[in-house]
Amino acid sequence: MPSRRAVVLGAAGAGISAALPAPAAHGASGGGRPARTPPVLLTEQASRRILVLDPRRRVWDPDADPSVVRWQFSPLGDRRYEDLRPDGSWVYPCEAKVRVHRKRTYVLTTASFGFVAVVEHPTGRRYWGAALGGGDDLFNPHSAEILPDGNVAVACSTGALVRLYAASQGPRATRYAEATLKGAHGLHWDGVRRVLWAIGDDELVTYAVGGTAARPTLTRTSAVGLPVGTPGRTPGGHDLFPVAGRPGRLWVTTNAAVFQYEMRGGVFVRDFAGAEAISRKSVKAVGDDPRTGQVVTTAPEKGLEETWWTTTVSVHRPESGYKLVNGGIYKARWWLPR
């Protein structure tokens, strides 16, 4: 997402973190979807919300039909997050991923103007949160990850750094370890190799996590250059996510294409099924559902208020999609707690 130093957005309603009742079943494969298609989790920047939406509907119109929303979150007006100054920091929510930690389900979210939080699902309770900067995009937290000890890593693209917060010490913990990474955009904890993967403008790197839960450390242990799309230009690494159907691989998106990184061989490949449609320019998010084989992606759509927004969530294998009425989507992921 481009850097934006100032923006004026009206408050999009009071704080929201509520589970809504699921609509009546539309059949075993409503709308042509495989019967086991998971819900869709997305960052909706136009209304400043995180949404979990019904996968059985091809068109989502929450204003006309609130039942399409399975769950939603916004810290605006929520006293549990008021110290993070969400009126200023919760601008352009740009990450949402679902994780299970100690048998509880959490949504990890970041916003470009400084907000970072780990939110319990479905209660909306705060596991941990922070506001980086003073309500601008000097840091631009772009992704987060929770580690087995309960600490939380944050990738800051404008700030060119990765931080590991001692979030295990409480919901307002402030101590952190820090490493520099130009254009830091995505994070993934690798439980097999026990390293933190991070993607930046030019490279995919790993960090070893040391120290203690209360006083963590980050040490860079490896780096590989990203494939160059246009000679003379930065590759522009963006999304980083595990390939659910092929352990040992990571989804990697750049300004030019979508790849899978094969960890054992240390190579970027495009040998995955559906690559012809999946791999394209400026993909902001990508992920697969191992049960149905479907892949979800988001990419910018022309003619919207912001150049990085879309109203469409693309689905591949087979090709289809979802449309969010009046949407400003940035990322979308399958709801697959892991």
Side-chain angles (χ1 to χ4, degrees), residues 267-324:
V267 293
F268 294 92
V269 298
R270 279 189 282 181
D271 62 356
F272 48 90
E276 297 81 4
I278 295 167
S279 182
R280 57 204 196 279
K281 293 181 179 180
S282 302
V283 169
K284 302 303 184 184
V286 60
D288 61 304
D289 171 24
R291 296 172 298 183
T292 66
Q294 296 175 101
V295 176
V296 67
T297 62
T298 55
E301 174 184 336
K302 292 182 179 179
L304 300 181
E305 182 178 332
E306 302 292 358
T307 59
W308 56 85
W309 283 4
T310 183
T311 61
T312 301
V313 175
S314 299
V315 179
H316 314 274
R317 306 188 62 222
E319 294 296 310
S320 61
Y322 299 102
K323 179 70 71 171
L324 179 64

Side-chain angles (χ1 to χ4, degrees), residues 140-195:
N140 199 348
H142 216 82
S143 187
E145 183 65 288
I146 190 166
L147 276 58
D149 63 2
N151 287 346
V152 175
V154 182
C156 299
S157 59
T158 308
L161 55 86
V162 174
R163 282 183 176 175
L164 179 58
Y165 282 87
S168 59
Q169 306 305 297
R172 292 172 173 78
T174 58
R175 184 183 296 276
Y176 60 84
E178 185 175 284
T180 59
L181 178 62
K182 179 186 173 185
H185 261 75
L187 295 168
H188 170 63
W189 172 255
D190 185 341
V192 175
R193 294 161 185 80
R194 299 198 62 79
V195 295

Side-chain angles (χ1 to χ4, degrees), residues 81 106-108 116-120 125-129 146 152:
Y81 298 90
Y106 296 98
V107 173
L108 281 66
V116 185
V118 179
V119 180
E120 186 181 70
R125 284 195 293 262
R126 171 176 166 176
Y127 170 80
W128 174 81
I146 190 166
V152 175

Side-chain angles (χ1 to χ4, degrees), residues 66-98:
S67 71
V68 300
V69 180
R70 297 282 187 86
W71 183 80
Q72 56 185 317
F73 170 77
S74 168
L76 296 172
D78 190 328
R79 295 184 63 183
R80 296 171 294 188
Y81 298 90
E82 64 183 1
D83 62 304
L84 305 184
R85 307 180 303 280
D87 285 346
S89 64
W90 180 249
V91 177
Y92 300 133
C94 54
E95 179 65 286
K97 59 173 71 168
V98 57

